[in-house]
Amino acid sequence: MKIIELKETITASNDRDAEVLRGELKVQGTLLVNLMASPGAGKTTLLERTIRDLGQKYRIAVMEADVDSDVDAKRIELLGAKAVQAHTGGMCHMDAGMTRRALDELDAPESDLVVLENVGNLICPAEFDTGAGKCVMLLSVPEGDDKPLKYPLMFSTSDALLITKIDVLPYFDFDIEACKARAKKLNPNIAIFTVSSKTGEGMEEWEAWLSDAIDSWKK
Amino acid sequence: MKIIELKETITASNDRDAEVLRGELKVQGTLLVNLMASPGAGKTTLLERTIRDLGQKYRIAVMEADVDSDVDAKRIELLGAKAVQAHTGGMCHMDAGMTRRALDELDAPESDLVVLENVGNLICPAEFDTGAGKCVMLLSVPEGDDKPLKYPLMFSTSDALLITKIDVLPYFDFDIEACKARAKKLNPNIAIFTVSSKTGEGMEEWEAWLSDAIDSWKK
């Protein structure tokens, strides 16, 4: 597994760079998903289960972005999926230039789906278009149902919200309906799924949405 | 309760500004604690319990920093403590200039302890000296014991680490000893406490450390 060291792309035109990258990926038929969440919300565990469930149907590759360590990319490679670990050099997010470099290193041009597991952070990643076709965010039950109030941009810019770790719902004071209403108020079109990567609850609906996104991207 | 809108201080000398602020607070006998963690790690709940336990002994005031909302400052005011809600204008951290402005608005010069509840983020706040006398970070059990590997700077720059939500330990795969060892490897001097703000477990040790820090600051 490769580890690459990235630096922020010095360009004033991240939005344009992202559009160009998205266009290239569209032509190529590869859906890039930008997966965002707080640290420890369960991004890698969700990915592991998703790859197990959809890995026969689609060619899936993963770019793990972290300030440091390679624990996540190693977990993904255990499943037989292509993975690259990108270190952001202390940066709190990925931009389009960094994403392009990581994609080049991934060496997976034939993929149907490439997932960028962004740095664990509910703020900065939402500010930078990476060129992804879909933005997906996770909010885990232990984090609390008030997070849409505090981190509105992340909820506004995501195509889908996965409320994760619903298996521990009995041990936390988390109001699913209140959380959904807060997210919908910020973003009426957001698709919301409640899932547990541990028990598998809700995974079918999420994976149906993702499969549909992959198929639609090729049209 | 006051809400103030802040912008990043345009200065190349944040470290110097932070030293000056720290010096002023030292003369004044006010300990500023920079409380940092991921979103939803339990910062406000810890503060609520700490204020209830130590509020008779010390004059405590709180600055809540968030991208948006005022839910946290409202919770603190319910306890009768002075609180100000600072909005960071989308910024992912507080710097020394922003902290000074929030302190001015707080209007609490007589405080023994001022807690800055920083923006929920394990990366950016660690990069900016706020002028605090002590940096304290929380890592909640649901986030996972691998976080020191991924966010080393936060662990390196904190004087104390509180492993929070230990009441839900039975429902998560979290190795306390492994987490402590990883944190100590990055920062041999870090004080580590395992607490549950819900059940009160471990609060006595944390509050003894904090009381000692407040008393020492006045010497």
Side-chain angles (χ1 to χ4, degrees):
Chain A
M1 188 249 332
K2 208 161 186 173
I3 301 182
I4 56 169
E5 308 293 333
L6 298 177
K7 281 189 182 155
E8 192 175 15
T9 320
I10 308 299
T11 167
S13 56
N14 184 65
D15 284 355
R16 201 190 54 196
D17 296 349
E19 283 301 343
V20 172
L21 179 56
R22 191 161 26 247
E24 291 174 16
L25 290 166
K26 178 77 183 171
V27 169
Q28 195 177 303
T30 300
L31 176 67
L32 174 63
V33 167
N34 181 8
L35 195 65
M36 298 175 285
S38 295
K43 294 185 289 302
T44 315
T45 309
L46 177 89
L47 264 182
E48 286 174 325
R49 181 128 198 171
T50 305
I51 291 170
R52 268 200 297 272
D53 292 346
L54 298 183
Q56 299 299 316
K57 196 174 160 198
Y58 299 109
R59 293 159 301 178
I60 305 176
V62 175
M63 300 186 290
E64 293 289 344
D66 273 301
V67 172
D68 208 344
S69 101
D70 59 0
V71 291
D72 288 347
K74 279 182 177 159
R75 284 172 62 184
I76 296 298
E77 282 198 331
L78 283 177
L79 299 167
K82 278 230 175 202
V84 65
Q85 178 75 53
H87 285 169
T88 61
M91 293 285 301
C92 51
H93 64 272
M94 292 282 282
D95 62 23
M98 296 161 85
T99 303
R100 179 184 285 279
R101 269 219 52 210
L103 272 169
D104 288 348
E105 296 288 342
L106 189 59
D107 186 30
E110 301 298 310
S111 300
D112 303 302
L113 171 69
V114 174
V115 180
L116 165 62
E117 188 184 328
N118 215 316
V119 182
N121 185 326
L122 269 192
I123 304 171
C124 319
E127 295 168 16
F128 292 85
D129 191 342
T130 58
K134 292 286 179 193
C135 290
V136 176
M137 71 165 293
L138 276 57
L139 176 69
S140 65
V141 162
E143 290 173 73
D145 55 40
D146 61 348
K147 293 301 164 287
L149 303 173
K150 293 182 170 183
Y151 306 95
L153 188 65
M154 181 63 75
F155 290 82
S156 307
T157 57
S158 293
D159 299 294
L161 161 65
L162 278 76
I163 301 175
T164 59
K165 305 191 187 181
I166 57 165
D167 52 293
V168 295
L169 210 41
Y171 314 114
F172 290 90
D173 184 25
F174 188 101
D175 186 333
I176 296 255
E177 292 313 314
C179 184
K180 283 183 177 176
R182 287 168 184 152
K184 286 273 183 192
K185 196 176 167 190
L186 290 164
N187 182 353
N189 297 320
I190 197 168
I192 305 181
F193 306 97
T194 52
V195 306
S196 165
S197 306
K198 202 168 176 182
T199 66
E201 194 180 340
M203 288 299 291
E204 214 171 306
E205 292 79 4
W206 148 245
E207 287 165 359
W209 182 89
L210 182 60
S211 300
D212 186 54
I214 297 169
D215 297 340
S216 304
W217 191 252
K218 290 187 185 290
K219 282 171 193 161
Chain B
M1 189 247 335
K2 208 160 185 174
I3 300 181
I4 57 169
E5 308 294 333
L6 298 176
K7 280 189 182 154
E8 191 175 18
T9 320
I10 308 298
T11 167
S13 56
N14 184 65
D15 284 355
R16 201 189 55 197
D17 296 349
E19 282 303 343
V20 172
L21 180 56
R22 190 160 29 244
E24 291 174 17
L25 290 166
K26 178 78 184 171
V27 169
Q28 194 176 304
T30 299
L31 176 67
L32 173 64
V33 167
N34 181 8
L35 195 65
M36 298 176 283
S38 295
K43 294 185 290 302
T44 315
T45 308
L46 177 88
L47 265 181
E48 286 174 325
R49 181 128 197 172
T50 305
I51 291 170
R52 268 199 298 271
D53 292 346
L54 298 183
Q56 299 298 317
K57 196 173 159 198
Y58 299 109
R59 294 157 301 176
I60 304 175
V62 175
M63 301 185 291
E64 294 289 345
D66 273 302
V67 173
D68 207 343
S69 101
D70 59 0
V71 290
D72 288 346
K74 279 184 177 158
R75 285 171 61 184
I76 297 299
E77 282 199 330
L78 282 178
L79 299 166
K82 277 230 175 203
V84 65
Q85 177 76 53
H87 285 169
T88 61
M91 292 286 299
C92 50
H93 64 272
M94 291 281 282
D95 62 23
M98 294 161 86
T99 303
R100 179 183 285 279
R101 268 219 52 210
L103 272 169
D104 287 348
E105 296 288 342
L106 189 58
D107 187 29
E110 301 298 311
S111 300
D112 302 302
L113 171 69
V114 175
V115 180
L116 165 62
E117 188 184 327
N118 215 315
V119 182
N121 185 326
L122 269 193
I123 304 171
C124 319
E127 295 168 17
F128 293 85
D129 191 342
T130 58
K134 293 284 180 194
C135 290
V136 175
M137 71 165 294
L138 276 58
L139 175 69
S140 64
V141 163
E143 290 173 73
D145 55 40
D146 62 347
K147 293 300 164 287
L149 303 173
K150 294 183 173 183
Y151 307 94
L153 188 65
M154 181 63 76
F155 290 82
S156 307
T157 56
S158 292
D159 299 294
L161 160 65
L162 278 76
I163 301 174
T164 59
K165 305 191 187 180
I166 55 165
D167 54 291
V168 295
L169 211 41
Y171 315 114
F172 291 90
D173 183 24
F174 188 101
D175 185 333
I176 296 254
E177 292 313 315
C179 184
K180 282 183 178 176
R182 286 168 185 153
K184 286 273 183 192
K185 196 176 167 189
L186 291 164
N187 182 352
N189 297 320
I190 197 168
I192 306 181
F193 305 97
T194 51
V195 305
S196 165
S197 306
K198 203 168 175 181
T199 67
E201 195 181 339
M203 289 299 290
E204 215 170 305
E205 291 80 4
W206 148 244
E207 287 165 359
W209 182 90
L210 182 62
S211 299
D212 185 55
I214 298 169
D215 297 340
S216 305
W217 191 250
K218 289 187 186 292
K219 282 172 193 162

